[in-house]
Amino acid sequence: MQPALRAKRRLIIYGGQFYSIAPETPVEDDLSTGTSYDDIDAEDPGDYRQPKRPHWANKVQFVLACIGYSVGLGNVWRFPYLCYKSGGGVFLVPYFLILIVCGVPLLYMELAIGQFTRRGSIGALGQICPLFKGAGLSSVVISFLMSTYHNVIIAYAIYYFFTAFRAEQPWSDCDNSWNTPACWQPSLKSFDNRTRPNTSRTASEEFFENKVLQMSNGIEEPGALRWELVACLVTAWIIVYFSIWKSIKSSAQVRYLTATLPFLLIVVFLTRSLTLEGADKGLQFFFRPRWHLLGDAKVWVNAAAQIFNSVGIAFGSMICFASYNKFHNNILVDALAVSLINAFSSLLVGIFAFATIGNIAIEQNMSVEDVLSDGPGLVFVVYPQALAKMPASQLWAVLFFFMLVCLSLNSQFAIVEVVVTSIQDGFPNWVKKKLLCHEMLVLLICVVSFLFGLPNITQGGIFFFQLIDHYAASISIMFLAFFEVIAISWFYGVRRLCNNVKEMTGRLPSMYFRFCWLVAAPLLIMAVWVFSLIDYEPPTYHNGDYKYPWWAETIGWGIASLSLVCIPAFAVYVLLRAEGKTFSEKLRNSIKPDFEACKICGQEYCTEPLHSMEEEMLKEPLQVINSPIQTNVNYLPSKPEI
């Protein structure tokens, strides 16, 4: 813990009131660079600038955290499947358009808010617009729901990783105890025997469903826990806990491996997949656009969903990461770098995926559309099937599933850190008194998330997994993103946001970003959300072969409402508690930020040279008193210190 610095402050009497001003300190002496939470309770809970907040050791750690979260399992799993559902190459048109109009500007906005307020999503939105503090709470609820089932994917990957060390891959043939008479294996000698029968199932499909999941007939039959997967899930949570238990001090070190190695492995797999027989068939499907599908609203909805899920808009993770930045960090460079790397990696993974799928299509004498599957099947059925046919298949399988573990862990770190940071910011006294230390808070969240994730690893758990993924991550996120943009751009104001960015970076955002924040992004999000409701389709499994019963859909909407209801419920609560006698007075006070700009220099954090402020004050009689006062802040408060 760094000791509190002592600075000679100057008490200035201006307009009959006392103002306490500290001389400007260099950026390196920023007193909010503490690396401990020990003294957080000693700070003023109403002070939106939190002095005792740890910082990233360097800019690389922050960028790796953002990239690690954005380039995750969604790029390997969701992106190829949504390309397939949206007609191949035509999906790239709305994808990049929405990335430019929504993805980059909103990422820039979230990084700015997080870095400026130095709080998680609840604290950040609550400070700039108390009426929409529920939007921050909603993002935490979504992150918690995602943490319960996202780690299940890591458990699957760990299971496959250890299984891949066998000399013979168990998903490569039909001679195992879990295989059925319907199991089919293509013959490499006879082309005629490579046509897959309609009622057959591949060896990798039967391994995943019959051995790994021991899958029941539907969500109506939950069955027993899969104890092998329980052990893998415990292992996954242990890795997550010891990676983030020291906050960014520990997770940043882990990301040097988990956020860089997957890119190397992606390039290796891409190079290998392009040499496979039939790769050109898959790439033709990927890059050949069907322009008439641009008129289909579902293509735009899928593109928007992929952008928000991959970049991390409205999930609270980017706000959380940026809250650990130094105040004068250049966030525009970070936003552009993360967005471009995410889009480029999606393209690379798309090429790798469709080249691999083209190889399987040739091998089975099928079309590309018939090979693809929804849900985790693309990762744990299609990819292993292709890996088993490669030379040195054991090595490729071990590397592939290790890559999946790394990609999934990066996203899981961010998801859990959102919940931890929000609770730490919101209830610092309770955490210190009841849990004693930050590590116990992380342990509590990991244990609770593990218990809530157990239904996903029962024999019918894959159906519950698909249900919660559909409603928790897709249905709610557009609704949440719209209100987040409205709270920041319209109620807090683009002008104030631009002034905050200038205060941090020295430059105002361009007119393009202002237009996107104020007009383009809200309109596009609202249009996509409305069309997603109009074209709503209930979740299915196995490409529509299994349809969920009505009560399961009711549970799904209930899961979605857990996050959706936070926004209106908290808005009503804030309105009722706001000062004022009339509704208009209460509304005006409920949208007012919890802080005011300096009346002399116009900034939230007054960093003007002291002599320039004194020149302004000389217009009225004043008295300057030198006084040694211990301080942790460096700004001219909007309210006088008496």
Side-chain angles (χ1 to χ4, degrees):
M1 180 182 69
Q2 294 182 352
L5 299 182
R6 296 182 64 87
K8 181 170 287 189
R9 297 175 62 89
R10 312 185 75 179
L11 300 181
I12 299 179
I13 304 175
Y14 172 56
Q17 294 180 317
F18 286 93
Y19 288 87
S20 177
I21 306 176
E24 184 178 18
T25 58
V27 176
E28 292 76 15
D29 295 334
D30 191 343
L31 298 177
S32 62
T33 58
T35 57
S36 171
Y37 290 93
D38 294 345
D39 290 343
I40 195 168
D41 293 323
E43 307 303 332
D44 179 8
D47 181 10
Y48 65 100
R49 187 187 191 190
Q50 295 189 23
K52 292 298 179 183
R53 194 170 191 81
H55 279 304
W56 302 104
N58 51 63
K59 195 179 185 70
V60 174
Q61 290 185 354
F62 170 64
V63 174
L64 284 179
C66 294
I67 292 174
Y69 175 67
S70 60
V71 183
L73 193 63
N75 299 69
V76 181
W77 164 18
R78 279 196 177 93
F79 184 80
Y81 179 66
L82 291 178
C83 276
Y84 149 69
K85 284 185 64 177
S86 305
V90 74
F91 177 77
L92 299 176
V93 177
Y95 176 83
F96 282 102
L97 181 61
I98 296 175
L99 177 66
I100 294 172
V101 175
C102 276
V104 178
L106 296 190
L107 177 60
Y108 187 22
M109 180 184 72
E110 287 199 348
L111 295 181
I113 290 298
Q115 182 170 303
F116 183 76
T117 62
R118 300 185 180 180
R119 289 181 180 254
S121 55
I122 298 179
L125 290 172
Q127 290 289 336
I128 66 175
C129 185
L131 184 66
F132 287 101
K133 188 175 183 178
L137 179 60
S138 180
S139 68
V140 175
V141 172
I142 291 178
S143 293
F144 173 75
L145 292 173
M146 288 187 65
S147 72
T148 63
Y149 74 87
H150 188 272
N151 229 21
V152 174
I153 295 291
I154 304 179
Y156 292 160
I158 291 174
Y159 186 97
Y160 270 80
F161 174 73
F162 286 109
T163 305
F165 281 97
R166 296 183 183 179
E168 295 293 332
Q169 307 300 304
W171 52 77
S172 61
D173 57 63
C174 295
D175 300 327
N176 304 285
S177 59
W178 56 81
N179 293 124
T180 67
C183 183
W184 174 82
Q185 188 176 359
S187 172
L188 300 179
K189 298 180 180 180
S190 173
F191 184 81
D192 295 334
N193 193 34
R194 292 168 74 176
T195 302
R196 178 180 170 181
N198 293 331
T199 58
S200 66
R201 298 199 303 170
T202 62
S204 61
E205 189 176 358
E206 290 208 339
F207 175 77
F208 181 60
E209 295 182 356
N210 297 347
K211 172 60 177 174
V212 179
L213 302 180
Q214 296 183 10
M215 193 171 69
S216 66
N217 294 323
I219 197 172
E220 307 92 333
E221 304 175 16
L225 283 171
R226 288 283 296 111
W227 292 107
E228 292 168 295
L229 294 181
V230 172
C232 292
L233 186 60
V234 170
T235 304
W237 275 114
I238 291 175
I239 295 173
V240 171
Y241 173 72
F242 284 106
S243 297
I244 68 173
W245 70 324
K246 296 291 186 181
S247 187
I248 61 173
K249 291 175 63 178
S250 56
S251 63
Q253 301 301 320
V254 177
R255 285 191 179 95
Y256 280 120
L257 172 68
T258 59
T260 56
L261 183 61
F263 283 95
L264 176 62
L265 295 178
I266 286 174
V267 173
V268 172
F269 280 112
L270 171 66
T271 305
R272 180 67 182 91
S273 65
L274 293 176
T275 64
L276 297 175
E277 178 190 5
D280 57 333
K281 181 178 181 180
L283 294 179
Q284 286 176 4
F285 180 88
F286 182 52
F287 286 111
R288 181 181 297 167
R290 306 175 188 177
W291 297 110
H292 65 280
L293 291 177
L294 285 177
D296 189 351
K298 293 178 183 178
V299 176
W300 295 84
V301 171
N302 291 337
Q306 177 60 21
I307 289 294
F308 279 78
N309 277 279
S310 62
V311 178
I313 301 299
F315 284 95
S317 299
M318 294 305 179
I319 295 178
C320 172
F321 286 154
S323 69
Y324 297 109
N325 274 337
K326 292 185 177 181
F327 185 68
H328 295 287
N329 176 58
N330 189 349
I331 46 179
L332 176 58
V333 175
D334 301 333
L336 293 175
V338 172
S339 302
L340 291 176
I341 292 174
N342 176 62
F344 182 67
S345 63
S346 294
L347 280 178
L348 291 183
V349 172
I351 295 172
F352 155 60
F354 279 93
T356 304
I357 292 166
N359 171 256
I360 297 176
I362 286 291
E363 180 185 78
Q364 299 181 4
N365 197 20
M366 300 170 63
S367 64
V368 172
E369 295 92 327
D370 294 331
V371 174
L372 276 161
S373 61
D374 58 353
L378 178 62
V379 175
F380 297 108
V381 174
V382 176
Y383 289 141
Q385 185 177 346
L387 294 172
K389 304 302 179 184
M390 293 182 180
S393 61
Q394 182 184 25
L395 173 64
W396 290 110
V398 169
L399 291 176
F400 178 78
F401 290 112
F402 183 71
M403 179 187 74
L404 282 186
V405 171
C406 291
L407 288 173
S408 304
L409 282 175
N410 287 325
S411 300
Q412 187 70 10
F413 294 161
I415 293 169
V416 178
E417 283 175 337
V418 169
V419 183
V420 172
T421 301
S422 299
I423 295 177
Q424 184 75 63
D425 288 348
F427 309 98
N429 292 317
W430 182 85
V431 171
K432 187 172 183 178
K433 292 177 182 178
K434 302 294 184 181
L435 300 179
L436 303 180
C437 62
H438 178 75
E439 290 82 357
M440 290 301 297
L441 173 62
V442 179
L443 178 62
L444 176 64
I445 292 173
C446 289
V447 171
V448 172
S449 299
F450 164 74
L451 295 176
F452 275 89
L454 289 178
N456 295 282
I457 51 177
T458 61
Q459 290 176 311
I462 189 65
F463 300 99
F464 184 74
F465 174 94
Q466 189 84 339
L467 184 74
I468 191 174
D469 179 65
H470 179 82
Y471 284 99
S474 301
I475 296 294
S476 309
I477 200 64
M478 294 295 173
F479 182 85
L480 169 58
F482 176 76
F483 282 99
E484 179 182 292
V485 174
I486 293 299
I488 298 174
S489 300
W490 291 10
F491 287 90
Y492 182 65
V494 168
R495 181 183 60 81
R496 286 192 77 153
L497 179 60
C498 291
N499 289 337
N500 299 154
V501 173
K502 182 181 180 182
E503 192 173 345
M504 292 185 292
T505 65
R507 298 181 60 183
L508 285 170
S510 66
M511 287 298 298
Y512 168 75
F513 285 111
R514 300 184 211 180
F515 173 74
C516 290
W517 291 337
L518 191 63
V519 180
L523 289 179
L524 183 58
I525 293 172
M526 175 55 70
V528 169
W529 188 61
V530 169
F531 279 115
S532 67
L533 294 180
I534 293 174
D535 293 337
Y536 166 76
E537 291 182 354
T540 59
Y541 189 70
H542 259 318
N543 293 327
D545 293 341
Y546 174 81
K547 299 186 183 303
Y548 285 84
W550 65 269
W551 57 265
E553 288 189 53
T554 304
I555 293 176
W557 280 109
I559 292 172
S561 66
L562 290 176
S563 58
L564 297 178
V565 75
C566 293
I567 299 175
F570 215 92
V572 172
Y573 173 77
V574 171
L575 275 173
L576 292 176
R577 292 179 57 89
E579 297 179 357
K581 297 181 179 180
T582 65
F583 176 78
S584 60
E585 290 178 354
K586 287 180 173 291
L587 180 62
R588 192 181 308 113
N589 290 325
S590 65
I591 63 176
K592 187 194 311 182
D594 285 354
F595 48 84
E596 296 291 340
C598 171
K599 296 178 181 178
I600 294 179
C601 69
Q603 294 185 344
E604 316 298 340
Y605 298 161
C606 183
T607 57
E608 291 293 328
L610 182 59
H611 64 83
S612 65
M613 289 188 283
E614 291 176 347
E615 289 177 359
E616 292 291 332
M617 290 180 171
L618 284 175
K619 296 177 182 178
E620 291 191 17
L622 57 85
Q623 178 182 356
V624 179
I625 307 171
N626 290 329
S627 172
I629 299 177
Q630 183 170 318
T631 177
N632 284 329
V633 293
N634 177 34
Y635 68 99
L636 180 66
S638 58
K639 297 181 181 179
E641 296 181 6
I642 300 177

